[in-house]
Amino acid sequence: VKVLVVANPANTNCLILKKNAPSIPSENFTCLTRLDSNRAKSQIALKARVNPSDVYNVTIWGNHSATQYPDAMNGYLIRNNVRKTIPEVITDTAWLRGSFISTIQQRGKAIIDARKLSSAMSAANAIGNHLRSWLVTGTKEGETISMGVWSNGNPYGVRDGLIFSFPLEVKTPGRYTIASGFEIDSFANTKIRSSEAELLEELAVAESILRSS
């Protein structure tokens, strides 16, 4: 059994489901952050004037919410057949740490406000991307994807016991590992801890509701 939770709050819903299905391995529970990742890649591609398919390893850290941290600083792109890090091409650090992040964090709300409808087709496409990468194709050497997964044993100091979005490698379809070696500076760490704190708050509320029901 492999599980993908989409409905918000996706991370916490996934965690509640995991806690109530103990016979299923923890690593088989995931939640969707691929839609955020696709949006982030598109924003980087637009800024760098490349195709989104030439943008790699842009990561969504944390919760599928307005506290998520879209991280382009560890990503790279291919332009004119040359591989370069994203900060080498997009030297506007204020944009990478400012409006780029807020645009991705608020994109879902902005679409609903403008259309009065959610981006259902984009979400469906992201679900397909998520499942294909996880269960069918895996990832190529040096490439990562973003999914919300069980946080236990992660190399970034995120609290155990959460469903948290990380950069993942899928070397064998159906089996992922949290990618190590991503550089986390003080700015990134603050963003990641903020999303972690929100998930802990959501968990406390959910447990309180379940106890009283």
Side-chain angles (χ1 to χ4, degrees):
V1 177
K2 305 289 188 182
V3 179
L4 167 59
V5 175
V6 177
N8 288 325
N11 297 59
T12 300
N13 282 344
C14 186
L15 181 58
I16 292 169
L17 178 59
K18 191 204 87 66
K19 287 177 175 287
N20 286 278
S23 64
I24 301 174
S26 298
E27 63 269 19
N28 288 9
F29 290 89
T30 68
C31 79
L32 187 72
T33 57
R34 188 64 169 263
L35 177 56
D36 308 297
S37 175
N38 287 349
R39 289 168 172 166
K41 289 177 64 176
S42 293
Q43 289 294 312
I44 293 297
L46 186 64
K47 187 79 168 178
R49 298 182 181 180
V50 298
N51 193 292
S53 63
D54 290 324
V55 179
Y56 300 89
N57 297 10
V58 175
T59 299
I60 303 298
W61 298 86
N63 200 5
H64 175 58
S65 75
T67 69
Q68 65 177 262
Y69 171 45
D71 172 22
M73 305 304 284
N74 286 285
Y76 67 92
L77 54 80
I78 307 297
R79 188 163 72 173
N80 300 325
N81 295 317
V82 177
R83 171 174 167 162
K84 292 187 176 182
T85 68
I86 290 171
E88 283 182 294
V89 176
I90 303 175
T91 58
D92 186 352
T93 303
W95 182 83
L96 288 171
R97 291 187 166 182
S99 59
F100 163 68
I101 292 174
S102 60
T103 295
I104 305 308
Q105 289 173 332
Q106 301 294 334
R107 183 61 178 167
K109 180 179 183 299
I111 290 171
I112 292 172
D113 288 346
R115 299 178 63 241
K116 311 305 178 187
L117 294 168
S118 66
S119 52
M121 288 303 296
S122 295
N125 179 64
I127 290 168
N129 296 155
H130 176 115
L131 294 173
R132 190 177 303 109
S133 296
W134 181 21
L135 303 178
V136 181
T137 65
T139 57
K140 295 179 181 179
E141 186 68 29
E143 294 180 18
T144 62
I145 57 173
S146 296
M147 302 194 309
V149 299
W150 186 232
S151 63
N152 283 29
N154 74 87
Y156 298 102
V158 172
R159 185 84 62 90
D160 286 350
L162 297 174
I163 298 294
F164 198 93
S165 186
F166 293 101
L168 305 178
E169 297 174 318
V170 186
K171 295 182 178 179
T172 301
R175 295 186 177 185
Y176 63 79
T177 56
I178 298 175
S180 60
F182 275 52
E183 187 174 326
I184 306 298
D185 60 14
S186 59
F187 176 87
N189 187 62
T190 298
K191 295 292 186 183
I192 289 170
R193 299 308 152 199
S194 175
S195 206
E196 176 189 53
E198 182 183 55
L199 284 168
L200 290 168
E201 290 173 5
E202 286 185 10
L203 176 59
V205 171
E207 289 179 335
S208 174
I209 293 170
L210 291 171
R211 282 195 301 269
S212 63
S213 62

